[in-house]
Amino acid sequence: MDFFTAPPPPERKPMKREKRPPWLGPPEDFVGAVVPVDRTLFRTETLAIVLTDALAFPEGVTLNVRMAFRRLEGVNDDVWWDRHDRLFDFHGHHGSRLSDEVMRLGVRFSDGSKATTVDGALDAEERPPPRPDGPVLHCRRSGNRSGSDDFATGHWPLWLWPLPPPEPFEVAVEWPAFEVPLTFTEIDGAPLVAAARRAHSYWP
């Protein structure tokens, strides 16, 4: 007879899938429409921050921000690796103060309304979270980053809700730790709105 027997399989309880509110991120069951943007938000000899493209959905848009950082000749290892590590170290707020280490990104519309990646977080205790009064911009970090002895790259997908109007708006960037002053770049919202009409469900 058998001495060892396998334990009974665990009971599988059905899990109810909660639909994510549109202000928290793109719909999971939709294919977004790609919009080339290719606008440089900031650039120096060592650092470039570029809004490469967007993925438009009926109720919002993902703005893909990519960063590249290179090592110049004469920069020693200690300086390079210190800056490399700080590049990917997100400290956030220190009490009521915003750390200089944080890259701040935001949008500003023609009516003066704005949303930034350092605005207060939505209330995570409520389910579903309450609908915000104004636009929101979430930094949905993908972990898509890499580095070497002389080069580093990073990717910051930003979820903007609601879909911007079909007119120009501004994207802002500021990063004091890397000497990036507050800089605005104009983006045309019309192609984003047009692309949102091409977004579709995975299944009819």
Side-chain angles (χ1 to χ4, degrees), residues 29-43:
D29 57 349
F30 256 67
V31 180
V34 178
V35 182
V37 180
D38 192 21
R39 296 299 304 274
T40 298
L41 305 181
F42 182 81
R43 182 167 56 202

Side-chain angles (χ1 to χ4, degrees), residues 21-24 115 120-123 128-138 159 161-162:
W23 52 89
L24 291 185
L122 296 175
D123 190 350
R131 182 186 180 94
D133 293 331
V136 296
L137 187 69
H138 294 301
W159 174 246
W161 176 89

Side-chain angles (χ1 to χ4, degrees), residues 23-104:
W23 52 89
L24 291 185
E28 298 171 319
D29 57 349
F30 256 67
V31 180
V34 178
V35 182
V37 180
D38 192 21
R39 296 299 304 274
T40 298
L41 305 181
F42 182 81
R43 182 167 56 202
T44 65
E45 277 193 302
T46 57
L47 177 67
I49 303 171
V50 180
L51 175 55
T52 57
D53 60 274
L55 200 58
F57 296 87
E59 296 191 70
V61 60
T62 296
L63 304 173
N64 288 306
V65 174
R66 298 185 184 274
M67 176 276 300
F69 184 62
R70 65 179 179 177
R71 179 176 181 173
L72 296 182
E73 187 176 350
V75 174
N76 65 44
D77 284 348
D78 289 342
V79 172
W80 166 253
W81 287 112
D82 174 68
R83 291 180 70 81
H84 177 280
D85 292 344
R86 290 166 61 203
L87 202 66
F88 298 122
D89 187 12
F90 291 81
H91 294 297
H93 299 267
H94 289 176
S96 60
R97 183 177 66 85
L98 182 61
S99 168
D100 287 349
E101 302 291 336
V102 176
M103 181 168 71
R104 306 108 189 245

Side-chain angles (χ1 to χ4, degrees), residues 117-178:
T117 54
V118 296
D119 292 339
L122 296 175
D123 190 350
E125 298 298 323
E126 292 191 42
R127 285 290 181 269
R131 182 186 180 94
D133 293 331
V136 296
L137 187 69
H138 294 301
C139 184
R140 301 176 58 82
R141 283 187 290 156
S142 66
N144 183 8
R145 59 193 189 190
S146 62
S148 66
D149 288 345
D150 57 9
F151 198 76
T153 60
H155 172 213
W156 287 268
L158 308 177
W159 174 246
L160 173 61
W161 176 89
L163 190 69
E167 59 187 35
F169 66 97
E170 294 174 305
V171 174
V173 62
E174 184 181 43
W175 205 353
F178 285 84

